[in-house]
Amino acid sequence: MRCDFADSLLQGYFDSELTASGEAEFESHLQDCVDCAGELVELDILRGRLQLEQLYEAAPPSFRKKIRAKLQPAIPTIAMSQQLRWRWLAAATALLVLSIAGWRFNSAFHSEDYRTELAAELIDAHLRSLQPGHLTGIRSNDGQEVKGWFTGKNTLAPPARDFANDGFALQGGRLDVLKDLPVAVLVYAHTGHLINVFVWPTRERDTSPHAGSLQGYQWIDWRKGKMEFCAISAASAADLHELQRLFAE
């Protein structure tokens, strides 16, 4: 079932035909509606494909010059409308990506194939991060600085906190790609081991930790505050449980 806004405002917004109040109303709606965000992205993809097909004849230079001269007073308004539409199209795309990410990760992470598929991919990502220059995109033990680094990078800003007093020192963070989607990663050091904490959005309710091991590595995952976490390391299972407890506090 399509949302009422998709039937009444979406096409007009895409074509820059809404009034200022109509645009504001639809933009507010876009922040929470994945369906409209997805349809907006699909419309833009369709328009791009039609433009590539070159289904129209180019107007003679003299005719274009004549039309542009008459439209000159309206150009600033049109430019402003186009800029606003593209900004919200980018926001809609980000919302759609995060929604798809949550669905795909939640489906994979709690299926019967978890240990053989996603766990193996997480461990591969952990091993890649241990190569020189791959561990962090930002190196800092300041939680606010690390969280701020993630802002605006098409992923969520994870709750970065330094637990050095408890033996888990924040090293920084980075962006990684799992299942072709961006994932935030927080990096901790503990008793000679590095721990990668992968974080992505979820719509599911909070859960207690669930742990396991694969290929000599320990993992523990849990959900809290619409985010899913998975810590991977060669550290002991008890160490990962302790880190999870610190995150839960």
Side-chain angles (χ1 to χ4, degrees):
M1 181 180 296
R2 299 182 74 214
C3 138
D4 291 339
F5 277 82
D7 291 322
S8 60
L9 297 178
L10 189 145
Q11 190 64 56
Y13 179 80
F14 183 76
D15 293 330
S16 302
E17 296 175 347
L18 298 182
T19 62
S21 60
E23 283 189 352
E25 181 182 13
F26 187 72
E27 287 163 2
S28 176
H29 170 72
L30 262 183
Q31 297 180 28
D32 300 305
C33 182
V34 173
D35 292 334
C36 282
E39 191 161 345
L40 197 61
V41 172
E42 289 175 0
L43 282 172
D44 189 67
I45 292 172
L46 176 61
R47 179 170 59 186
R49 288 175 176 171
L50 289 175
Q51 289 174 342
L52 289 175
E53 291 296 329
Q54 298 182 350
L55 300 176
Y56 61 90
E57 290 291 335
S62 59
F63 182 73
R64 292 202 302 270
K65 184 176 181 181
K66 181 178 179 181
I67 295 298
R68 286 174 178 170
K70 292 183 178 181
L71 293 178
Q72 190 64 35
I75 287 177
T77 302
I78 293 173
M80 180 66 72
S81 178
Q82 290 290 337
Q83 183 182 35
L84 189 62
R85 181 169 59 78
W86 281 112
R87 187 179 70 207
W88 279 100
L89 181 60
T93 303
L95 177 64
L96 182 63
V97 167
L98 290 177
S99 173
I100 294 172
W103 178 82
R104 288 178 66 181
F105 277 120
N106 290 333
S107 297
F109 215 90
H110 299 287
S111 70
E112 294 299 324
D113 295 329
Y114 169 69
R115 287 183 175 84
T116 58
E117 293 182 7
L118 189 55
E121 190 167 351
L122 289 169
I123 290 169
D124 286 344
H126 174 76
L127 292 174
R128 286 196 306 271
S129 75
L130 302 181
Q131 301 301 313
H134 290 75
L135 186 63
T136 56
I138 177 173
R139 184 171 179 81
S140 173
N141 62 357
D142 185 326
Q144 289 301 316
E145 183 180 3
V146 173
K147 182 177 180 179
W149 181 83
F150 283 100
T151 303
K153 289 183 170 57
N154 279 340
T155 186
L156 81 173
R161 297 159 59 193
D162 183 25
F163 304 115
N165 292 337
D166 298 284
F168 296 87
L170 179 65
Q171 303 297 293
R174 72 176 185 278
L175 286 177
D176 214 319
V177 177
L178 297 172
K179 300 294 184 184
D180 300 320
L181 296 168
V183 178
V185 187
L186 299 173
V187 183
Y188 290 87
H190 177 72
T191 62
H193 294 289
L194 289 171
I195 303 173
N196 279 296
V197 181
F198 299 85
V199 190
W200 60 89
T202 180
R203 291 185 173 186
E204 299 183 43
R205 66 179 184 274
D206 295 357
T207 62
S208 56
H210 182 69
S213 63
L214 187 66
Q215 300 174 17
Y217 291 88
Q218 304 295 324
W219 58 265
I220 182 170
D221 81 278
W222 69 97
R223 292 198 299 263
K224 181 182 180 183
K226 301 302 180 182
M227 287 181 281
E228 186 135 12
F229 301 77
C230 184
I232 301 281
S233 181
S236 70
D239 289 338
L240 293 191
H241 275 281
E242 177 61 17
L243 179 59
Q244 185 278 326
R245 184 189 65 80
L246 293 170
F247 268 96
E249 288 182 347

